[in-house]
Amino acid sequence: MRRALPKAGRDWPAVKAEMLGYAAGDVRWREGKTAVYVFNAGADVEQVQKEAYVLFMSENGLGPAAFPSLKRMEEEVVGFGLELFHAPEDARGTITSGGTDSITMAVKAARDFARKRKGVAGPLNIVLPRSAHPAFDKACALMEIEVRRTPLRDYLADPAAMAAAADAATVMIVGSAPNFPYGLIDPIGALSELAVARDLWLHVDACVGGYMAPFVRMDGADIPPFDFELPGVRSISADLHKYGYCAKGASTVFFRSGELHELMVFDVRDWPGGRMVTPTLAGTRPGGAIAAAWAVMNFLGEAGYRRKHALVTEARERIAAGVEALGFTVLGRPQLGILAFTRADVDCVALWAKLRERGWFTGVTTEPKSLHLMLSPIHAEVADAYVADLKRALEGSPAGAGVEARYS
């Protein structure tokens, strides 16, 4: 719909008031009633995000010579990730604008590796489990790469099915740590063995869990190896703006070696404006996102991340116990911040709507129809309230008759 720009500018208080009016219908994420889209690590982290972002909001990551501060902060953030993911000395990485950007750049590097280093000609393909993120489909659509999705086994990637789907034209196989629909870590160890045996590029999509799993492991959880400590892993994507609790617009992509990392870079020389080198799909890169990531990671440190993630796992465990007491089945064995749960005699989508009426905005999974939560530290404060509202919503559903007597 066309709309004319105001003839004259308006004063900021009036504009601000209208913006806040627009937001009146938004979800109440600061109250902990949202378990998707937002990662609420508390007011202290939110303040660091905002102040650091504003300090560098006009600076541009495209120009490292002009803004060496951003270059230094990016190198240090990437260094934190390389250390967390057991990277070899020659490994490299880059801050991107988000998970889709990180995944796209990893696919681009794998494609160029297949073409330029392995001499693969003709149509290319990528093999990934049905649960892998649609960002891979987007990347492959851009590059005209065939997507081969394979069936799951117990909601996890099936290495045997992926091995059968891969061939000489396969540029990448994918595992998730964890996958988004169920919050489960794929058998990355088995996929690594497949990658080594067949000389396949294994990408680990740790966009959701990359900046959580290492700290949960430090706290004693039996998180299996999923990163560069496995020899078959060539690249990893991990979002800073998810469980890194950084401001939105920040992810990371890592490669086992500098040689592989170079394949993601765009280097255009034949142009009147001079040589243009960009490490990601974007040209301009917001300095605020880089600065906020650096600030939050330094503000929290290892101890801070362990405390925040302990709250997430506490919330997940309490909610899982609560929903199981109401007759639901948790899908698989989630270990990080996501869980999905279902009940055969309940329409989970209708139940989601009832919970929405009570102010909860969460997710759903369609195979099978399930309620889906992506939890933050704030949810440790409201876990019992969620289960109580779920019980009330369930009592009001056709399948809820007698729930008070059975599960009270």
Side-chain angles (χ1 to χ4, degrees):
M1 181 179 69
R2 293 173 58 178
R3 182 167 182 169
L5 189 68
K7 296 297 183 184
R10 300 158 57 195
D11 63 273
W12 168 235
V15 173
K16 180 180 179 180
E18 187 169 353
M19 293 174 71
L20 294 175
Y22 284 2
D26 290 355
V27 294
R28 306 197 308 261
W29 63 268
R30 288 184 178 85
E31 299 175 19
K33 302 198 91 173
T34 303
V36 67
Y37 300 131
V38 178
F39 294 80
N40 185 353
D44 55 344
V45 175
E46 184 184 359
Q47 180 182 4
V48 173
Q49 288 178 358
K50 289 182 176 179
E51 292 189 18
Y53 200 106
V54 170
L55 282 172
F56 288 85
M57 65 179 291
S58 296
E59 281 73 9
N60 190 342
L62 176 63
F67 304 110
S69 59
L70 293 180
K71 182 176 184 293
R72 178 173 179 175
M73 285 188 277
E74 177 173 12
E75 288 175 346
E76 292 185 12
V77 168
V78 167
F80 297 152
L82 292 172
E83 176 69 18
L84 285 171
F85 299 141
H86 303 94
E89 191 62 33
D90 187 38
R92 298 290 184 271
T94 298
I95 293 180
T96 71
S97 65
T100 297
D101 194 357
S102 289
I103 287 168
T104 298
M105 300 317 300
V107 172
K108 187 261 187 190
R111 181 204 63 181
D112 288 359
F113 182 82
R115 293 289 197 214
K116 299 175 182 179
R117 306 294 167 82
K118 298 180 70 174
V120 180
L124 304 173
N125 68 76
I126 182 174
V127 174
L128 66 171
R130 181 155 178 75
S131 55
H133 199 278
F136 290 97
D137 297 79
K138 293 166 69 175
C140 290
L142 290 172
M143 293 175 246
E144 297 187 331
I145 297 173
E146 177 192 357
V147 177
R148 297 180 179 177
R149 287 190 177 267
T150 57
L152 303 178
R153 184 174 60 189
D154 298 326
Y155 305 111
L156 296 169
D158 182 348
M162 293 179 67
D167 57 26
T170 298
V171 300
M172 175 184 282
I173 62 172
V174 175
S176 303
N179 60 45
F180 180 81
Y182 313 112
L184 308 177
I185 299 174
D186 283 330
I188 308 298
L191 294 179
S192 172
E193 292 175 3
L194 170 62
V196 171
R198 299 268 295 273
D199 190 22
L200 296 168
W201 181 304
L202 171 58
H203 178 83
V204 175
D205 176 19
C207 283
V208 177
Y211 289 103
M212 183 175 183
F215 302 105
V216 174
R217 178 190 278 175
M218 291 176 196
D219 284 337
D222 60 338
I223 304 297
F226 68 93
D227 54 25
F228 290 120
E229 65 180 312
L230 296 171
V233 176
R234 291 187 188 173
S235 57
I236 298 173
S237 52
D239 285 358
L240 293 158
H241 61 207
K242 288 190 172 72
Y243 285 107
Y245 303 126
C246 302
K248 282 184 170 51
S251 176
T252 43
V253 60
F254 302 98
F255 297 86
R256 178 170 286 277
S257 69
E259 181 182 9
L260 298 180
H261 179 258
E262 288 176 3
L263 292 167
M264 71 171 270
V265 176
F266 294 94
D267 187 347
V268 179
R269 302 165 185 258
D270 186 14
W271 182 58
R275 184 183 183 189
M276 172 71 76
V277 179
T278 50
T280 71
L281 194 61
T284 290
R285 294 195 294 152
I290 296 171
W294 183 90
V296 168
M297 296 187 88
N298 278 281
F299 175 73
L300 286 174
E302 180 182 305
Y305 276 115
R306 291 178 67 173
R307 285 194 302 270
K308 296 293 185 182
H309 293 326
L311 292 172
V312 176
T313 55
E314 175 197 336
R316 191 202 71 238
E317 290 168 356
R318 282 166 52 199
I319 291 173
V323 302
E324 287 175 343
L326 292 173
F328 289 87
T329 298
V330 174
L331 303 181
R333 181 173 166 261
Q335 296 175 284
L336 300 177
I338 293 177
L339 76 158
F341 50 95
T342 189
R343 220 179 100 172
D345 60 341
V346 171
D347 183 343
C348 287
V349 176
L351 200 59
W352 178 93
K354 287 182 176 294
L355 287 163
R356 182 74 183 93
E357 293 172 1
R358 295 179 177 273
W360 297 97
F361 194 98
T362 63
V364 292
T365 297
T366 57
E367 298 175 11
K369 289 184 179 179
S370 314
L371 293 168
H372 179 280
L373 303 177
M374 180 182 285
L375 301 170
S376 294
I378 189 69
H379 293 115
E381 301 175 20
V382 298
D384 295 338
Y386 175 79
V387 174
D389 276 349
L390 176 63
K391 182 179 179 182
R392 295 186 188 99
L394 188 62
E395 289 167 354
S397 70
V403 68
E404 179 70 34
R406 286 182 289 148
Y407 301 113
S408 59

